[in-house]
């Protein structure tokens, strides 16, 4: 049976770039909410001789994720899941951001934990945004609720966003959701290890994608702090994601890998901003 790689958010940006790299060793299943976007991505993959499958799936809907997992499982052994689906602050209200980025991640973990084959790796695409919000503002103590009461967890996350004026709430929801993703991957690592699976997160800095364009104002401010003063290219994150998923990295689990051109390091070393 073939090894299968599932890529949520595989219809564009980092997910699509990762599909091209993972296709060297895996059958590819890309997914997202928009059929036309997936069709365009399939055409782009076909133009470089990659035959992939596409499944319409909204990660905030558990049943939809179950359907994705079923299709992928029928194709072969699911040994890689790249969870790149997500929306940014300018794409939705705080509740949508939390439902897609945080609750969606819970769905992907819970469903694919049951489906993945031994030696597999699940990678959550978080964000350097997780590192920027002051820890005092993050409701980290409530992250544990994600395990037994996801709706209460969501309610707590949402209520934390209300400490800021309305126009900043989606931004805070994004930071919380991405900080949660890092915590969640680390928290889930022992459970995944019991099934000989790995789980980790990768946090991109500012990258050239549709989403990156939409968040340009905020991202431009952060790129100023980078050691490498430009946006990242999708291939640069795609190769990292594929590398982390490789079975030869069998001891790599429960960590976050920040790929941000040295941005957070520069930010933290700036007097009055970080710890500088
Ligand atoms: N670009 C950056 O600078 C940057 C920086 C840090 C982190 N990130 C993270 O990197 C990941 C990939 O983003 P990108 O930059 O490649 O942007 P992108 O091109 O907009 O990709 C995001 C993908 O997620 C899919 N998606 C959105 N909501 C979904 C849902 N509810 N269910 C399933 N799929 C959904 C989108 O397709 P549909 O709309 O068709 O569903 C889209 O294909 C995201 O998680 C993002 O937060 C990006």
């Amino acid at each position: 049976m073939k090894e299968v790689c599932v890529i949520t958010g595989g219809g564009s940006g980092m997910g699509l770039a990762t599909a091209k790299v993972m296709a060297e060793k895996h059958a590819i299943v890309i997914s997202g909410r928009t059929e036309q976007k997936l069709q365009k991505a399939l055409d782009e993959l076909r133009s470089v001789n990659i035959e992939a499958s596409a499944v319409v799936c909204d990660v905030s809907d558990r049943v939809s994720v179950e359907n994705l997992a079923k299709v992928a499982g029928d194709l072969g052994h699911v040994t890689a899941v790249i969870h790149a689906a997500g929306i940014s602050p300018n794409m939705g209200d705080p509740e949508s951001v939390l439902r897609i980025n945080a609750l969606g991640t819970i769905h992907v973990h819970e469903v694919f934990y049951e489906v993945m084959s031994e030696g597999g790796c699940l990678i959550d695409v978080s964000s350097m945004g997780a590192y920027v919000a002051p820890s005092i503002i993050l409701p980290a103590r409530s992250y544990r609720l994600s395990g037994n009461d996801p709706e209460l967890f969501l309610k707590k996350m949402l209520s934390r966003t209300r400490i800021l004026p309305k126009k900043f709430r989606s931004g805070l929801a994004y930071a919380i959701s991405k900080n949660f993703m890092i915590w969640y991957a680390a928290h889930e690592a022992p459970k995944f290890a019991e099934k000989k699976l790995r789980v980790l997160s990768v946090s991109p800095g500012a990258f050239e994608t549709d989403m990156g364009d939409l968040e340009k104002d905020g991202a431009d401010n952060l790129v100023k702090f980078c050691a490498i003063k430009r946006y990242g290219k999708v291939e640069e994150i795609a190769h990292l994601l594929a590398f982390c998923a490789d079975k030869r990295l069998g001891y790599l689990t429960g960590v976050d890998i920040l790929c941000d051109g040295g941005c957070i390091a520069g930010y933290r070393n700036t007097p009055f901003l970080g710890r500088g």
Side-chain angles (χ1 to χ4, degrees):
M1 265 178 119
K2 279 192 233 165
E3 293 206 15
V4 177
C5 170
V6 176
I7 306 180
T8 71
S12 62
M14 299 180 195
L16 179 54
T18 307
K20 291 176 188 165
V21 183
M22 291 301 285
E24 287 167 16
K25 291 188 185 155
H26 296 78
I28 301 293
V29 180
I30 56 170
S31 71
R33 294 166 301 177
T34 323
E35 201 168 347
Q36 299 93 302
K37 198 186 277 187
L38 292 174
Q39 190 52 56
K40 205 167 151 232
L42 286 180
D43 293 344
E44 188 174 325
L45 291 171
R46 200 162 294 133
S47 73
V48 288
N49 296 319
I50 297 168
E51 283 302 327
S53 307
V55 179
V56 173
C57 166
D58 180 342
V59 292
S60 66
D61 173 4
R62 195 191 163 101
V63 175
S64 186
V65 179
E66 283 168 357
N67 177 53
L68 169 64
K70 166 93 181 70
V71 174
D74 286 348
L75 286 175
H77 294 298
V78 179
T79 52
V81 177
I82 312 292
H83 173 41
I87 62 168
S88 63
N90 283 317
M91 289 172 164
D93 59 24
E95 181 166 354
S96 314
V97 171
L98 286 163
R99 280 199 179 274
I100 292 174
N101 295 1
L103 190 62
T105 300
I106 296 170
H107 292 154
V108 168
H109 276 230
E110 288 183 353
V111 171
F112 280 97
Y113 176 77
E114 300 299 334
V115 171
M116 288 175 77
S117 297
E118 194 174 310
C121 182
L122 189 163
I123 305 176
D124 295 317
V125 181
S126 177
S127 169
M128 76 169 165
Y131 288 81
V132 178
S135 51
I136 194 156
I137 216 175
L138 298 167
R141 264 190 270 167
S142 300
Y143 291 170
R144 284 189 177 275
L145 287 171
S146 57
N148 39 25
D149 196 342
E151 283 299 324
L152 179 61
F153 158 75
L154 213 62
K155 217 169 134 191
K156 292 252 183 199
M157 300 300 115
L158 197 55
S159 79
R160 179 55 61 94
T161 65
R162 298 197 188 101
I163 64 170
L164 292 183
K166 219 169 181 175
K167 66 174 181 170
F168 298 117
R169 288 181 192 165
S170 285
L172 180 53
Y174 184 78
I176 291 172
S177 68
K178 294 297 184 178
N179 188 266
F180 165 73
M181 287 173 79
I182 293 173
W183 175 88
Y184 193 56
H187 176 74
E188 292 263 284
K191 177 180 126 181
F192 273 63
E194 281 170 19
K195 273 188 78 177
K196 296 192 167 44
L197 299 171
R198 295 183 295 120
V199 56
L200 60 131
S201 56
V202 164
S203 290
F207 275 74
E208 288 169 0
T209 65
D210 293 347
M211 183 188 290
D213 279 353
L214 210 59
E215 302 298 330
K216 218 168 174 11
D217 288 349
D220 281 351
N221 281 331
L222 283 167
V223 169
K224 284 191 280 200
F225 296 102
C226 291
I228 300 168
K229 296 208 185 311
R230 63 166 173 82
Y231 278 56
K233 298 177 194 310
V234 283
E235 296 74 23
E236 291 169 324
I237 203 85
H239 284 284
L240 174 63
L241 290 164
F243 179 68
C244 291
D246 193 304
K247 285 191 180 129
R248 288 170 292 185
L249 277 81
Y251 202 49
L252 188 73
T253 194
V255 285
D256 183 61
I257 297 171
L258 182 60
C259 178
D260 68 343
C263 186
I264 292 299
Y267 181 77
R268 285 186 173 160
N269 287 330
T270 302
F272 307 116
L273 270 179
R275 302 181 198 125

